[in-house]
Amino acid sequence: MSTHSGTGTKATRGLGIIVLLMLIALAFFGLVFSAEDVVQGSTVRIMYVHVPAIWVAYLAFGLTAVCSAVYLSGKNRSLAWDRVAGASGEIGVLFVAVSLVTGSLWGRLTWGTYWVWDARLTSTAFLFITYIGYLAVRRLGGTHRQRARRSSVLALLAIVEIPLVHFSVNMWRSLHQSASVADPNAKVQLDGLMLFSLFLGLFAFTLLFVWLVLHRQRTLQLEDAFADRGLDAAIAARREEAVK
């Protein structure tokens, strides 16, 4: 057990070093090497954080839904699935917040205001609130199994918001720019170095997400173990009282 744990810790530490180096490289490419936009100027550099942040949020909530579905399927009721789902949900909320903040800053520089009740912005804010609710549900009382069941159901309901957020710019009139990379017919084109910097950000943030999930799910495992020991101690105390 200790050998396996030590190997996992070394692998996680190595991944952390890779993530750090990639984030440093992203900072240089995003702030120094890539060119300014012909229309937006240097404000376009916010894209190298804004786009990867919402991508990681989608990825995180997707993983939360998958782990929740596996737990509810009955084939594998291990609480490890629930802990990964919870860890991924927490990280997804963090990155949605980053996306909202960077988007607001970008909007202030581009539109002249931090916030408008635009379809994309409103749906993203609603997504953020929904997963705040998911995290709150996980903190309700009850056993670990009860927590896993109720949060898994909510995660599967909440995931349907992702397509709504992503395609909101096409479904309704929106100030938000439509996809520039995924859409081959997009009017906005990125030059080679800007495109490379964007993909570097996507890859770096994805690895950061993996590293954060690995650490957070271990913390949740320790929290569950601590709660179990506290429950065992309480049961033992009650038994002693009954004997007396």
Side-chain angles (χ1 to χ4, degrees):
M1 181 66 70
S2 60
T3 302
H4 176 74
S5 177
T7 302
T9 302
K10 289 181 180 178
T12 307
R13 186 181 298 117
L15 178 60
I17 294 173
I18 293 173
V19 169
L20 179 60
L21 292 176
M22 292 196 67
L23 290 176
I24 292 173
L26 174 62
F28 275 102
F29 276 96
L31 297 175
V32 179
F33 300 141
S34 66
E36 295 183 355
D37 184 70
V38 293
V39 176
Q40 301 183 51
S42 290
T43 61
V44 75
R45 303 183 193 279
I46 299 176
M47 171 181 66
Y48 304 129
V49 174
H50 179 69
V51 175
I54 195 62
W55 154 253
V56 168
Y58 290 167
L59 182 64
F61 297 148
L63 179 60
T64 296
V66 168
C67 292
S68 299
V70 171
Y71 181 82
L72 289 177
S73 68
K75 296 179 181 179
N76 190 334
R77 287 298 179 99
S78 170
L79 285 171
W81 291 105
D82 175 63
R83 286 191 289 267
V84 173
S88 188
E90 290 180 7
I91 295 164
V93 167
L94 171 64
F95 278 94
V96 170
V98 171
S99 177
L100 286 171
V101 170
T102 54
S104 295
L105 294 174
W106 202 354
R108 178 66 178 84
L109 296 170
T110 305
W111 304 331
T113 182
Y114 289 105
W115 186 266
V116 292
W117 292 105
D118 175 82
R120 170 60 66 84
L121 276 66
T122 304
S123 58
T124 303
F126 188 70
L127 180 72
F128 177 71
I129 294 171
T130 299
Y131 278 92
I132 287 290
Y134 167 80
L135 298 183
V137 166
R138 292 187 61 85
R139 293 294 179 180
L140 295 177
T143 66
H144 301 328
R145 297 289 177 184
Q146 290 172 333
R147 176 196 69 195
R149 283 195 298 271
R150 64 179 177 244
S151 59
S152 294
V153 172
L154 182 55
L156 293 179
L157 293 174
I159 193 63
V160 300
E161 292 183 31
I162 298 293
L164 182 67
V165 173
H166 186 69
F167 294 108
S168 59
V169 293
N170 299 321
M171 296 168 62
W172 297 284
R173 295 185 63 179
S174 174
L175 292 173
H176 194 281
Q177 178 181 311
S178 58
S180 302
V181 179
D183 185 1
N185 299 317
K187 297 179 181 179
V188 179
Q189 299 293 330
L190 303 179
D191 69 25
L193 200 52
M194 292 175 69
L195 191 62
F196 174 81
S197 300
L198 179 59
F199 276 105
L200 177 63
L202 292 171
F203 191 58
F205 273 50
T206 300
L207 290 183
L208 175 60
F209 163 70
V210 173
W211 183 78
L212 289 172
V213 168
L214 290 174
H215 275 283
R216 183 55 184 155
Q217 66 87 22
R218 289 173 186 168
T219 303
L220 292 178
Q221 183 179 13
L222 292 175
E223 289 179 3
D224 284 353
F226 180 78
D228 289 339
R229 284 198 295 270
L231 179 61
D232 292 340
I235 292 174
R238 291 295 299 271
R239 287 176 178 172
E240 290 179 2
E241 291 177 1
V243 171
K244 293 178 181 179

